[in-house]
Amino acid sequence: MALTGRGWMVGLAAAGVAVGLGIVASLPAQSEVDVDHPVPVSALTTTTLESPSPDCGRLTAEDLALSSSRTETFSTRYVLEGVTGEVALPVTGSHAHIGVFVEDETAQATLLTPTGGRLPVESVPRDVDPGTALSRAEEAPHGKLEATPRGVTTPPGLYRLRLEGGGRSGEAKAAAPRATVVVNDDNDLVLHSWLTDNLVDARQTTEIHVQVREGGKPVEKVRATARIYHENGTLVLEHAMTGLGNGDFGLKIRPLQLGRFGKVILDVEGVTAAGMPFRRTGLLEIASGVAGGRLMRIVGERLTDQGLEVDLEYVVTRAGRFHARANLVTSDGKPVAWAQAAAEAAVGRHVMTLRFDRRLLVSGKLLLRDLELTDVTEFPGVKSPTRIGTYALEQALQ
């Protein structure tokens, strides 16, 4: 994950904690269940926006994997904020890149190697990103940015940053200087972080997960904390993540207080298999809202000369535009095809039809998978809090 850009630093130092978010220790989360009150299909309004040909295509294994709605990132970096005095910087890679943003331009920042030697640094112009995610340097009215030169060898170990006040002549002694440090500890020790659901209805539970892998194997000796921020930068919650086994740590939330684009900062520290301490920081963005439509059930399936048609019933509580998508797989899970449809719908119950081209179908029993309805009236679209994971197509294929 490239932890760069202005958005990365927003809210990292925000103060204030609000209660809520519905933290639940048990995992995994379950979707909300809606009470279904079936009505005759003849009483429903078909609202699919017609097109000259079915909106579908051949499904690949890669497409099928992405259909899980999981958002994932990878990071070899970590961030320390509000650093004063002297702080240890664990490094596990031989070519780590260290950047230091000091708020007081007169302060002295010294980087020391594990053996006590001085690590070279160079001044970085404020309009240049050294690849250390220090976009905050562009926003702060004062301060200087220094970073280790590219290509400097860094033997693994505990490095140290020492901050000392510069002291302007004729001025009273200033407060202890503060710095933000970003270390790109680039090696095979990687923080993998993911959301089980993004673009989620805020009433639905989503799960945050992290796992550190070293050389492809999970690291067990890990402590993980999630800091969750509203889109305006306010810290909403800070909570330790729960160990789930095999190096997986999780936290379950309902993003009711995050606005449209909340952020999750993941702080992880631990010890490698060789006994070396390490840190990693990850970033996830949660896009959420309240969907104006709810997926109910499949109410029809038929095989025509053109292909397979599947009718979906959905309920609209706020008029708008809605989009549905589903995958078609064989009984043993092999990808076959995908199809999607869109509709403009008023408040009430409706039917939308997914059409799979006959030329894409294969013989044998087929399953409909990953069926989701998304309210796309506004950006970003928000998924229905209910979905259909797997549905066996029988009548149409007999």
Side-chain angles (χ1 to χ4, degrees):
M1 171 176 65
L3 299 182
T4 58
R6 189 173 297 270
W8 158 242
M9 301 305 293
V10 174
L12 286 184
V17 178
V19 297
L21 273 191
I23 297 297
V24 184
S26 59
L27 293 169
Q30 299 294 326
S31 298
E32 291 185 14
V33 177
D34 186 49
V35 178
D36 188 5
H37 302 288
V39 296
V41 175
S42 59
L44 302 176
T45 305
T46 300
T47 56
T48 308
L49 297 180
E50 298 295 338
S51 59
S53 60
D55 191 356
C56 61
R58 192 172 303 281
L59 184 67
T60 66
E62 292 77 13
D63 293 334
L64 189 58
L66 290 174
S67 295
S68 65
S69 302
R70 192 167 91 167
T71 298
E72 55 186 348
T73 59
F74 300 86
S75 174
T76 57
R77 300 182 179 187
Y78 65 89
V79 180
L80 298 177
E81 296 180 281
V83 172
T84 61
E86 188 169 310
V87 64
L89 305 175
V91 169
T92 60
S94 59
H95 289 86
H97 188 53
I98 304 173
V100 181
F101 174 70
V102 186
E103 298 173 3
D104 182 355
E105 295 180 355
T106 68
Q108 179 68 38
T110 304
L111 285 172
L112 302 174
T113 67
T115 58
R118 191 160 181 165
L119 195 65
V121 296
E122 58 187 13
S123 179
V124 179
R126 294 174 64 88
D127 59 348
V128 175
D129 179 4
T132 56
L134 287 173
S135 59
R136 191 174 186 178
E138 299 175 7
E139 301 174 3
H142 303 287
K144 61 180 179 179
L145 174 61
E146 296 178 321
T148 55
R150 297 288 185 182
V152 171
T153 301
T154 55
L158 282 178
Y159 288 68
R160 293 193 173 276
L161 169 66
R162 182 180 298 158
L163 289 173
E164 299 171 297
R168 297 182 178 90
S169 60
E171 292 186 1
K173 186 177 181 181
R178 298 166 60 87
T180 296
V181 185
V182 179
V183 180
N184 186 2
D185 190 13
D186 192 10
N187 66 347
D188 64 354
L189 186 70
V190 180
L191 172 64
H192 179 198
S193 54
W194 67 94
L195 290 170
T196 56
D197 255 318
N198 212 348
L199 300 173
V200 66
D201 188 291
R203 299 164 294 184
Q204 183 182 6
T205 300
T206 187
E207 299 167 27
I208 305 164
H209 288 260
V210 297
Q211 185 183 68
V212 178
R213 301 184 72 88
E214 182 180 17
K217 297 180 180 180
V219 179
E220 297 285 353
K221 297 180 179 179
V222 167
R223 294 180 300 278
T225 302
R227 288 182 284 150
I228 304 171
Y229 293 87
H230 187 275
E231 64 180 348
N232 64 12
T234 302
L235 177 63
V236 175
L237 184 83
E238 182 171 353
H239 202 280
M241 302 182 72
T242 303
L244 305 174
N246 196 34
D248 184 8
F249 289 77
L251 183 66
K252 186 167 70 172
I253 68 169
R254 285 188 176 90
L256 295 173
Q257 301 176 0
L258 303 184
R260 298 288 280 177
F261 297 97
K263 286 184 173 63
V264 181
I265 308 298
L266 302 159
D267 298 305
V268 177
E269 58 183 66
V271 180
T272 67
M276 174 72 68
F278 69 86
R279 293 177 181 267
R280 291 292 184 269
T281 301
L283 169 66
L284 290 167
E285 293 188 349
I286 301 180
S288 68
V290 176
R294 181 182 290 268
L295 178 64
M296 300 301 293
R297 57 180 176 146
I298 293 176
V299 294
E301 47 176 293
R302 57 195 168 273
L303 193 61
T304 69
D305 292 340
Q306 289 73 41
L308 173 66
E309 296 184 351
V310 181
D311 296 328
L312 321 172
E313 179 188 355
Y314 65 106
V315 174
V316 174
T317 56
R318 184 180 62 242
R321 184 179 179 89
F322 300 89
H323 172 269
R325 190 188 189 282
N327 294 323
L328 199 63
V329 300
T330 61
S331 58
D332 57 355
K334 294 181 180 178
V336 176
W338 60 265
Q340 62 184 7
E344 297 279 357
V347 173
R349 287 179 176 264
H350 301 270
V351 166
M352 192 184 303
T353 303
L354 296 176
R355 297 181 172 89
F356 296 87
D357 193 300
R358 194 179 189 108
R359 292 168 294 183
L360 299 174
L361 304 182
V362 298
S363 59
K365 185 176 181 180
L366 297 177
L367 304 175
L368 201 68
R369 266 191 47 179
D370 310 313
L371 176 54
E372 292 183 332
L373 177 76
T374 304
D375 182 350
V376 294
T377 309
E378 298 178 357
F379 177 83
V382 181
K383 297 174 187 173
S384 162
T386 52
R387 67 186 61 187
I388 298 174
T390 303
Y391 178 86
L393 294 166
E394 299 176 354
Q395 298 178 5
L397 302 179
Q398 289 180 353

Short mmCIF file of all heavy atoms in Angstrom, two decimals, residues 188-190 211-219:
data_model
loop_
_atom_site.label_atom_id
_atom_site.label_comp_id
_atom_site.label_asym_id
_atom_site.label_seq_id
_atom_site.Cartn_x
_atom_site.Cartn_y
_atom_site.Cartn_z
N ASP A 188 10.18 -8.21 3.51
CA ASP A 188 9.09 -9.18 3.36
C ASP A 188 8.22 -9.30 4.61
O ASP A 188 7.42 -10.24 4.70
CB ASP A 188 9.65 -10.55 2.96
CG ASP A 188 10.54 -11.17 4.03
OD1 ASP A 188 10.82 -10.48 5.04
OD2 ASP A 188 10.96 -12.33 3.86
N LEU A 189 8.34 -8.37 5.55
CA LEU A 189 7.47 -8.32 6.72
C LEU A 189 6.34 -7.34 6.39
O LEU A 189 6.53 -6.12 6.45
CB LEU A 189 8.24 -7.87 7.95
CG LEU A 189 7.49 -7.91 9.29
CD1 LEU A 189 7.23 -9.34 9.72
CD2 LEU A 189 8.26 -7.18 10.36
N VAL A 190 5.17 -7.86 6.05
CA VAL A 190 4.12 -7.05 5.45
C VAL A 190 2.85 -7.10 6.30
O VAL A 190 2.43 -8.17 6.75
CB VAL A 190 3.79 -7.54 4.02
CG1 VAL A 190 2.68 -6.69 3.40
CG2 VAL A 190 5.04 -7.48 3.15
N GLN A 211 -3.35 -8.83 9.51
CA GLN A 211 -2.46 -9.97 9.69
C GLN A 211 -1.08 -9.58 9.19
O GLN A 211 -0.93 -9.05 8.09
CB GLN A 211 -2.97 -11.19 8.91
CG GLN A 211 -2.14 -12.45 9.15
CD GLN A 211 -2.61 -13.63 8.31
OE1 GLN A 211 -2.47 -13.61 7.09
NE2 GLN A 211 -3.15 -14.65 8.96
N VAL A 212 -0.06 -9.82 10.02
CA VAL A 212 1.33 -9.58 9.62
C VAL A 212 1.91 -10.90 9.13
O VAL A 212 1.80 -11.93 9.81
CB VAL A 212 2.17 -9.03 10.78
CG1 VAL A 212 3.62 -8.85 10.34
CG2 VAL A 212 1.59 -7.70 11.26
N ARG A 213 2.52 -10.85 7.95
CA ARG A 213 3.14 -12.05 7.38
C ARG A 213 4.61 -11.77 7.12
O ARG A 213 4.96 -10.73 6.56
CB ARG A 213 2.42 -12.48 6.11
CG ARG A 213 0.95 -12.77 6.31
CD ARG A 213 0.29 -13.29 5.05
NE ARG A 213 0.70 -14.64 4.72
CZ ARG A 213 0.11 -15.74 5.19
NH1 ARG A 213 -0.92 -15.62 6.03
NH2 ARG A 213 0.53 -16.93 4.83
N GLU A 214 5.43 -12.72 7.52
CA GLU A 214 6.87 -12.63 7.30
C GLU A 214 7.29 -13.79 6.41
O GLU A 214 7.16 -14.95 6.78
CB GLU A 214 7.63 -12.69 8.62
CG GLU A 214 9.14 -12.55 8.46
CD GLU A 214 9.88 -12.62 9.79
OE1 GLU A 214 9.28 -13.10 10.79
OE2 GLU A 214 11.05 -12.21 9.84
N GLY A 215 7.74 -13.43 5.20
CA GLY A 215 8.09 -14.48 4.25
C GLY A 215 6.90 -15.36 3.89
O GLY A 215 7.04 -16.55 3.62
N GLY A 216 5.69 -14.77 3.92
CA GLY A 216 4.48 -15.50 3.58
C GLY A 216 3.83 -16.23 4.74
O GLY A 216 2.73 -16.77 4.60
N LYS A 217 4.48 -16.26 5.91
CA LYS A 217 3.94 -16.97 7.07
C LYS A 217 3.41 -15.97 8.10
O LYS A 217 4.05 -14.94 8.35
CB LYS A 217 5.01 -17.85 7.70
CG LYS A 217 5.52 -18.96 6.78
CD LYS A 217 6.57 -19.80 7.47
CE LYS A 217 7.07 -20.92 6.55
NZ LYS A 217 8.11 -21.75 7.22
N PRO A 218 2.26 -16.24 8.72
CA PRO A 218 1.70 -15.31 9.70
C PRO A 218 2.55 -15.20 10.95
O PRO A 218 3.12 -16.18 11.42
CB PRO A 218 0.31 -15.91 10.01
CG PRO A 218 0.42 -17.35 9.64
CD PRO A 218 1.38 -17.42 8.50
N VAL A 219 2.65 -13.98 11.48
CA VAL A 219 3.37 -13.70 12.72
C VAL A 219 2.35 -13.69 13.86
O VAL A 219 1.36 -12.95 13.80
CB VAL A 219 4.11 -12.35 12.65
CG1 VAL A 219 4.84 -12.07 13.96
CG2 VAL A 219 5.10 -12.37 11.48
#
